[in-house]
Amino acid sequence: MDVVVGRLGRPHGVHGEISVEVRTDDPENRFAIGAKITLKETNQVLTVAATRWHLSRLLIKFEEIQDRTQVDKVRGKLLIVEVDPSQTPTGNNEFYEFQLIGLEVFNQKNEKLGVVKEVLPGSAQALIVVKTPENKEVMVPFVNQLVPEVDIKNKRIVMNPPSGLFDEENAEDAR
């Protein structure tokens, strides 16, 4: 199963270094020298040649990218790695996006709210997009206060949404 670990950003300098928006909790291992990472949009495999942190941004030099012009061609593309579907992240209460997609969502009264359609990464926290039975989409911050229970084995999430979050005016038409 493919997991997004980053998004390529702006070039840094003229020798092919590129900034990366990190989307993994383990950047030291995911972006280790020699690691193979795939561009999601083109399936091109890139090999990490060097990494360094600069002003809280990760900068990477790939063997296949030699100059600023080549960086511009991959800017904005997603970096993915293959993960065994049975593997789980090492941290407590951490999940891969693919594990959450399709889970049924219930409130604490066991009323069905919908199904997880998508997980959107965010700077502070991820957002879970829930498709309701009325074919609407509701975005819920993926934080313990709102999502106290995730049961991957039973394909179920229990939410504690604030009053009104799943009301008609807060949902977007998913059609």
Side-chain angles (χ1 to χ4, degrees):
M1 191 60 80
D2 291 336
V3 174
V4 175
V5 294
R7 186 174 75 68
L8 296 173
R10 298 186 322 228
H12 185 82
V14 294
H15 300 291
E17 237 180 357
I18 186 167
S19 65
V20 175
E21 175 189 310
V22 176
R23 294 189 183 171
T24 177
D25 60 343
D26 192 12
E28 288 75 25
N29 288 323
R30 294 288 187 206
F31 301 112
I33 294 174
K36 304 283 188 193
I37 303 173
T38 304
L39 291 176
K40 181 177 182 178
E41 295 81 357
T42 64
N43 287 325
Q44 177 185 3
V45 177
L46 300 175
T47 307
V48 177
T51 63
R52 66 186 176 105
W53 290 94
H54 176 71
L55 301 175
S56 75
R57 288 188 322 180
L58 180 62
L59 301 177
I60 297 183
K61 173 74 175 108
F62 293 104
E63 290 178 9
E64 297 79 7
I65 298 175
Q66 300 303 314
D67 59 35
R68 189 178 186 104
T69 304
Q70 290 177 309
V71 168
D72 285 333
K73 292 179 183 176
V74 297
R75 185 176 180 175
K77 297 200 179 341
L78 295 174
L79 298 170
I80 58 173
V81 295
E82 182 76 21
V83 173
D84 180 342
S86 64
Q87 180 182 347
T88 58
T90 56
N92 196 17
N93 288 331
E94 292 181 2
F95 309 95
Y96 290 121
E97 292 175 21
F98 71 84
Q99 293 174 312
L100 300 174
I101 306 295
L103 296 185
E104 292 185 309
V105 179
F106 296 87
N107 64 18
Q108 293 185 319
K109 295 178 185 174
N110 206 31
E111 300 166 329
K112 187 171 180 178
L113 299 174
V115 175
V116 176
K117 177 185 175 193
E118 185 177 6
V119 179
L120 303 172
S123 57
Q125 76 274 331
L127 294 172
I128 295 178
V129 179
V130 178
K131 186 174 180 180
T132 69
E134 296 80 28
N135 207 31
K136 302 286 184 180
E137 292 179 357
V138 177
M139 290 189 273
V140 180
F142 191 47
V143 295
N144 285 338
Q145 294 87 347
L146 300 178
V147 187
E149 183 183 332
V150 177
D151 185 349
I152 300 294
K153 182 179 175 184
N154 292 309
K155 301 182 185 299
R156 176 183 173 90
I157 289 179
V158 176
M159 287 190 176
N160 183 23
S163 178
L165 183 62
F166 278 83
D167 289 351
E168 187 71 26
E169 65 269 8
N170 292 322
E172 292 186 23
D173 198 343
R175 292 175 214 166

